[in-house]
């Protein structure tokens, strides 16, 4: 952007300003927390004016002023503005948790033991707006992958610190967690096992199929039509459809039943997850391989590389960023779909969600939903980082201004 | 070195290469040329078996290439193409080392060879070794492509329009480098182009193809002087035939001793002489100007000739800088001869019978002159 343009634009970063206004409106108008006499009754709203201590309100105001300054980009370089936004966002993240935890401690000190404090919509607005401010500033600043990872680690550390200390322990969702502690770890591990157990066979089948699609144009159309059909089937329908044949199979073959295969449970969940993962993997593998320049392949053949050497030393390294993008899509997708698999008894974090829905205990639902979202976001971020690192033309180059 | 015998290629009933028989001798710079679709690229790619032949036989150093394992054959043949085909994820050094690594050379030998080749192509190893292909200019990338093709010291180098995609100035620089590399290494080269000027400036023998058939296989000057038919005449182009001939003549064939400033007397009117400094370098030219016979012209680097320069280029400099003679200098910049406008005209009288000196540059020792049978098929 030419420097001459700056004075003519009043606001440098309109996205950031919008998010700041969203924070203001959310905190001003929406309930920040709610207080209920027990876990099943719905509570009474508590506004931020009550929940925040005076110093917390002052800090909030200060951070929002800083962010507004960063959004205007007046008298600040773009780099400084984005850096300022990133720093203020970390403060906002910590403040959101500290204010909620602090209020819960104070409110429950003089209430009955069954009373519950839950987070309100203003808390969520503040949290998501903070997340978006971070993403927006990172995208504008374009730091090298390692700096991005470092910043994400700091943000994650703040969140982990809030959860591992006693700060949030009086909250209703944390009490649900305390009640389910043993279950929670089990279900989290089961969730991760299901995702990994689906991705491994999906890669083992999908990568060769992608290669086949590249090598045999005749097979390509048939392959993609079949995979497209899988992708369009609703997941619940697939789970339902698999119950009957798998139950019959398990009945016919006792050794399968001994392995744990049945109409419900992990087996149909894994089969469905693999089927859903295939299309993105095969499509991206094919696209990555097809994207290798014909001249590069001609030179490789002309210099006497064997077809195996061309595949491993040329085609796969060059296709890797696209293949990893496919893996990123299916990983995030599998983490989400595994939630639904709880319906057919496969377990996982979805178990809390459906249990909570049945009991009308919203905090139990959140105990399943929030970790799922965190898992998906972390997996997405980590694989994005891998994609960035696998690009040869970007890696050695660093930042150019 | 390479013999094509009755080479034929048919695609779905259409014959694209039709019964081509010709021989590229050892050390030959053979150019395959012709209009688009004449089968020149197909012919080239049959030599390293990127395209299988439909009929005929190709031998490399007496061995039928069909009997060799295909990867082994290709590692003996360097291959450079128009799009360079550099591996975008490998550094310049790793790209050049491709074939030596396939041949499992020891690391120290590969490193030495990479440095040697980069130096040969004027790419500073310290600066370029670790660059990725996308950080190179078109000319640099093409140099790396040719260096990679030469890396394992192949018996033969195949080049498929390697300079077709670079700008005209870079192309001339690359052509000059290719001539030099050919002289230094004595490699047998088969080079495909559709540009007659490129063919004339590089080839020791030109094979002109049309519609898949070999029309004429001849040394460049002979092809210009004695075209086989109207197609050849038209393809070469008649309008600047004289200049094209001069592009195959070299300054050392035309130079004569320089006339130096007379010690005691004034020079005769209409003559010219060179002034040299104490190291023997030319500093100025007295006379020999078209516009002013008595002018003294300071010698500039841009209009100094070298013995290896083509007469076309020398003539071009004379015209552009408006002088009747150019100083010819050696590697140290010392005046060793001069070449003049009169020389150009005088020598061209003997065009119909090419002088012996010409043959010595066009044909390498030990190579026989073309015979009627392989030069002009029926």
């Amino acid at each position: 952007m030419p420097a001459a343009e700056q004075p003519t634009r009043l606001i440098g970063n309109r996205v950031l300003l919008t998010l700041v206004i969203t924070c203001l409106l959310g905190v001003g108008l929406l309930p920040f927390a709610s207080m209920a006499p027990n876990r099943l009754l719905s509570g009474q709203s508590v506004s931020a004016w009550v929940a925040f201590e005076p110093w917390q309100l002052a800090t909030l105001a200060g951070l929002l002023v800083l962010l507004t300054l960063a959004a205007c980009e007046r008298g600040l370089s773009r780099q400084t503005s984005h850096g300022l936004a990133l720093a203020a966002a970390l403060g906002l993240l910590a403040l959101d948790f500290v204010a909620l935890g602090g209020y819960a401690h104070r409110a429950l000190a003089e209430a009955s033991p069954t009373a519950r404090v839950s987070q309100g919509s203003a808390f969520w607005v503040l949290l998501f707006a903070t997340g978006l401010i971070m993403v927006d500033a990172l995208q504008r600043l374009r730091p090298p992958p390692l700096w991005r990872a470092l910043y994400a680690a700091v943000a994650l550390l703040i969140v982990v610190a809030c959860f591992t200390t006693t700060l949030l322990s009086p909250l209703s969702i944390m009490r649900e967690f305390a009640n389910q502690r043993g279950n929670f770890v089990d279900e989290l591990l089961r969730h991760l096992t299901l995702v990994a157990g689906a991705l491994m066979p999906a890669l083992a089948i999908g990568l060769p199929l992608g290669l086949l699609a590249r090598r045999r144009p005749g097979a390509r159309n048939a392959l993609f039509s079949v995979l497209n059909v899988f992708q369009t089937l609703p997941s619940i329908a697939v789970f339902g459809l698999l119950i009957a044949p798998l139950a019959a199979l398990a009945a016919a073959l006792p050794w399968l039943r001994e392995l744990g295969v049945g109409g419900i449970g992990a087996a149909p969940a894994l089969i469905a997850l693999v089927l859903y993962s295939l299309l993105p993997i095969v499509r991206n593998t094919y696209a990555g391989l097809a994207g290798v320049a014909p001249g590069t392949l001609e030179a490789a053949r002309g210099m006497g590389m064997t077809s195996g050497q061309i595949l491993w030393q040329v085609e796969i390294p060059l296709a890797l960023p696209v293949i990893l993008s496919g893996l990123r899509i299916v990983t995030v997708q599998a983490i989400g779909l595994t939630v639904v698999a709880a319906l057919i008894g496969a377990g996982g974090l979805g178990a809390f969600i459906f249990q909570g829905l049945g009991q009308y205990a919203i905090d139990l639902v959140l105990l399943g939903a929030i970790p799922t979202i965190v898992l998906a976001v972390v997996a997405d971020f980590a694989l994005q980082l891998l994609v960035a690192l696998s690009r040869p033309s970007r890696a050695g180059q660093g930042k150019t201004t | 070195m390479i013999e094509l015998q009755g080479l034929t290629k048919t695609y779905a009933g259409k014959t694209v290469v039709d019964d081509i028989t010709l021989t590229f001798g050892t050390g030959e710079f053979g150019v395959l040329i012709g209009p688009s679709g004449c089968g020149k690229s197909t012919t080239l790619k049959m030599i390293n078996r990127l395209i299988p032949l439909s009929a005929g036989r190709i031998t490399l150093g007496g061995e039928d290439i069909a009997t060799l394992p295909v990867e082994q054959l290709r590692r003996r043949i360097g291959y450079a193409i128009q799009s360079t085909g550099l591996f975008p994820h490998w550094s310049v050094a790793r790209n050049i080392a491709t074939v030596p690594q396939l041949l499992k050379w020891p690391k120290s030998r590969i490193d030495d060879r990479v440095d040697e080749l980069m130096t040969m192509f004027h790419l500073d190893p310290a600066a370029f070794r670790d660059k990725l292909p996308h950080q190179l200019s078109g000319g640099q990338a093409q140099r790396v492509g040719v260096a990679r093709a030469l890396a394992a010291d192949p018996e033969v180098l195949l080049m498929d329009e390697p300079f077709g995609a670079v700008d005209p100035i870079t192309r001339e620089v690359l052509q000059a480098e290719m001539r030099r590399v050919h002289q230094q290494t004595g490699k047998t080269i088969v080079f495909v182009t559709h540009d007659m000027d490129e063919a004339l400036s590089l080839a020791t023998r030109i094979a002109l193809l049309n519609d898949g058939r070999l029309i004429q296989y001849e040394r460049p000057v002979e092809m210009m002087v004695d075209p086989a038919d109207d197609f050849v005449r038209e393809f070469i182009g008649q309008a600047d035939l004289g200049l094209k001939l001069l592009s195959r003549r070299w300054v050392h064939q035309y130079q004569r001793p320089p006339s130096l400033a007379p010690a005691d007397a004034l020079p005769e009117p209409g003559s010219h002489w060179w002034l040299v400094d104490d190291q023997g370098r030319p500093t100025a030219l007295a006379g020999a100007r078209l516009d002013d016979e008595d002018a003294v012209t300071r010698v500039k680097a841009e209009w100094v000739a070298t013995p290896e320069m083509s007469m076309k280029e020398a003539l071009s400099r004379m015209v552009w800088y408006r002088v009747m003679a150019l100083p010819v200098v050696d590697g140290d910049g010392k005046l060793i001869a001069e070449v003049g406008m009169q020389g150009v005209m005088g020598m061209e009288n003997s065009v119909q019978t090419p002088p012996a000196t010409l043959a010595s540059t066009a044909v390498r020792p030990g190579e026989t002159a073309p015979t009627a049978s392989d030069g002009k098929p029926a």
Side-chain angles (χ1 to χ4, degrees), chain B residues 95-131:
Chain B
N95 263 290
I96 295 177
T98 305
V99 182
Q101 292 210 331
L102 291 175
L103 296 171
K104 302 202 163 51
W105 286 13
K107 191 180 176 308
S108 59
R109 185 176 169 207
I110 293 179
D111 289 346
D112 292 348
R113 180 66 180 155
V114 168
D115 283 354
E116 182 190 348
L117 282 162
M118 291 183 74
T119 312
M120 186 193 273
F121 284 93
H122 302 307
L123 296 165
D124 175 20
F128 283 95
R129 259 184 162 274
D130 298 322
K131 286 212 162 143

Side-chain angles (χ1 to χ4, degrees), chain B residues 113-165:
Chain B
R113 180 66 180 155
V114 168
D115 283 354
E116 182 190 348
L117 282 162
M118 291 183 74
T119 312
M120 186 193 273
F121 284 93
H122 302 307
L123 296 165
D124 175 20
F128 283 95
R129 259 184 162 274
D130 298 322
K131 286 212 162 143
L132 287 169
H134 74 98
Q135 296 168 303
L136 304 176
S137 72
Q140 288 164 347
Q142 202 50 260
R143 283 188 185 92
V144 175
V146 180
R148 181 174 71 171
L150 285 169
D153 209 7
E155 299 150 64
V156 174
L157 179 58
L158 304 183
M159 307 180 82
D160 193 357
E161 301 207 33
F163 309 143

Side-chain angles (χ1 to χ4, degrees), chain A residues 284 288 316-327 383 386-392:
Chain A
N284 280 51
I316 288 184
L318 288 176
L320 200 58
V322 185
I323 297 177
L324 285 177
S325 304
L327 181 62
L383 281 162
L386 268 186
V387 171
L389 289 175
S390 67
R391 264 181 236 282

Side-chain angles (χ1 to χ4, degrees), chain A residues 203-284:
Chain A
L203 283 174
I205 302 168
L207 295 177
L209 281 182
L211 185 63
L212 178 78
R214 169 76 179 126
R215 294 279 190 268
R216 299 257 179 284
R220 192 184 309 151
N221 286 339
L223 185 63
F224 282 126
S225 338
V226 172
L227 293 175
N228 263 320
V229 171
F230 290 146
Q231 208 68 16
T232 45
L233 291 176
S235 54
I236 300 220
V238 174
F239 289 137
L241 282 176
L242 282 169
I243 291 177
L246 278 176
L249 205 63
L253 303 168
W255 60 270
L256 266 181
R257 195 167 53 233
E258 272 162 42
L259 277 176
V261 174
I264 57 169
L270 282 176
I271 292 175
L273 286 174
V274 169
L275 289 183
Y276 281 117
S277 304
L278 277 181
L279 180 65
I281 292 179
V282 175
R283 194 180 43 206
N284 280 51

Side-chain angles (χ1 to χ4, degrees), chain A residues 82-171:
Chain A
H82 301 325
L84 188 63
L86 284 174
L90 285 178
L92 215 50
L93 181 70
L95 181 66
D96 202 19
F97 284 110
V98 169
L100 184 67
Y103 169 72
H105 276 288
R106 276 179 281 127
L108 291 176
E110 55 219 44
S112 83
T114 56
R116 293 283 185 122
V117 172
S118 297
Q119 58 290 339
S121 39
F123 169 83
W124 292 119
V125 168
L126 214 52
L127 188 66
F128 284 117
T130 306
L132 289 176
I133 290 173
M134 291 175 171
V135 170
D136 176 64
L138 280 179
Q139 269 178 1
R140 285 169 198 263
L141 197 57
R142 297 213 156 277
L146 281 178
W147 281 103
R148 240 184 294 169
L150 202 67
Y151 182 78
V154 171
L156 201 66
L157 205 68
I158 291 177
V159 177
V160 169
C162 292
F163 277 94
T164 47
T165 57
T166 54
L167 176 70
L168 298 175
S169 51
L171 277 183

